[in-house]
């Protein structure tokens, strides 16, 4: 999800898109705001892995 198209489009637009919100609800349940926090945290974790030298 943190590397998914819905998250990318939402991040690019600067707001939560309906498709992104629907994907979160489908995968993580009705509390989409809590799900969004999890996705953002995972996105940051993945970014940090890319920036670390081998």
């Amino acid at each position: 999800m943190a590397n998914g198209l819905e998250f990318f489009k939402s991040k690019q637009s600067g707001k939560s898109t309906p498709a992104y919100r629907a994907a979160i609800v489908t995968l993580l349940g009705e509390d989409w705001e809590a799900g969004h926090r999890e996705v953002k945290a995972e996105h940051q974790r993945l970014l940090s892995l890319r920036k670390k030298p081998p």
Side-chain angles (χ1 to χ4, degrees):
M1 184 84 209
N3 280 334
L5 182 60
E6 291 88 359
F7 179 71
F8 174 76
K9 286 182 176 180
S10 182
K11 190 164 177 57
Q12 192 174 40
S13 74
K15 61 182 180 178
S16 178
T17 63
Y20 173 64
R21 208 174 303 167
I24 288 177
V25 168
T26 299
L27 293 173
L28 302 173
E30 289 298 319
D31 189 0
W32 72 268
E33 291 171 327
H36 176 59
R37 287 191 295 273
E38 289 182 42
V39 172
K40 284 186 356 182
E42 180 64 9
H43 179 71
Q44 288 303 315
R45 187 188 74 79
L46 292 171
L47 287 177
S48 72
L49 291 175
R50 291 182 192 162
K51 294 178 184 177
K52 289 185 179 178

